Amino acid sequence: MEIAEPTIAQAVGRCVEAGASRVVIAPYFLSRGRHIQEDIPALVAAAQQQYPGISCSIAEPIGIDPLMVQLIQSRVKAALLKDCEAAAALAGAEEAAMPAAAVAPRQ
């Protein structure tokens, strides 16, 4: 947040330049930690001083919403599938590298 761009002030400024009269800051945080409780409100207040005609609101953090649980499950499943596909490809490459006599079943 301290080093990422756009800063809150820059983002509010871009919204003002685009004609916004109201800006909602939607923080991508999972909990109401120090950034949500102190840092972001201070940064928003400073931005509002730069643009006094603008109304700014701060949305609640993302939190642990049921949709987040679904998203995390989806990412885990995708990673496991990717690992399985990589293992299968590796096994196939190892088999392809073996001499034909080593791969052929005995009769």
Side-chain angles (χ1 to χ4, degrees):
M1 192 174 78
E2 293 84 7
I3 57 174
E5 289 194 354
T7 65
I8 289 176
Q10 289 170 336
V12 170
R14 289 180 188 170
C15 292
V16 170
E17 289 171 8
S21 60
R22 181 163 189 219
V23 177
V24 177
I25 292 82
Y28 288 12
F29 289 87
L30 295 178
S31 66
R32 294 189 54 77
R34 184 176 61 90
H35 286 316
I36 296 293
Q37 294 179 21
E38 299 171 12
D39 299 335
I40 292 174
L43 293 169
V44 170
Q48 280 191 283
Q49 287 180 349
Q50 285 182 291
Y51 305 99
I54 296 300
S55 169
C56 292
S57 303
I58 303 171
E60 287 295 314
I62 294 170
I64 303 300
D65 185 281
L67 293 174
M68 287 296 293
V69 173
Q70 290 176 10
L71 176 63
I72 292 167
Q73 287 174 335
S74 173
R75 297 290 195 259
V76 169
K77 286 178 184 177
L80 291 173
L81 180 61
K82 185 177 177 182
D83 289 347
C84 288
E85 290 171 350
L90 180 60
E94 288 174 351
E95 186 175 309
M98 291 182 186
V103 175
R106 291 186 186 184
Q107 295 183 2

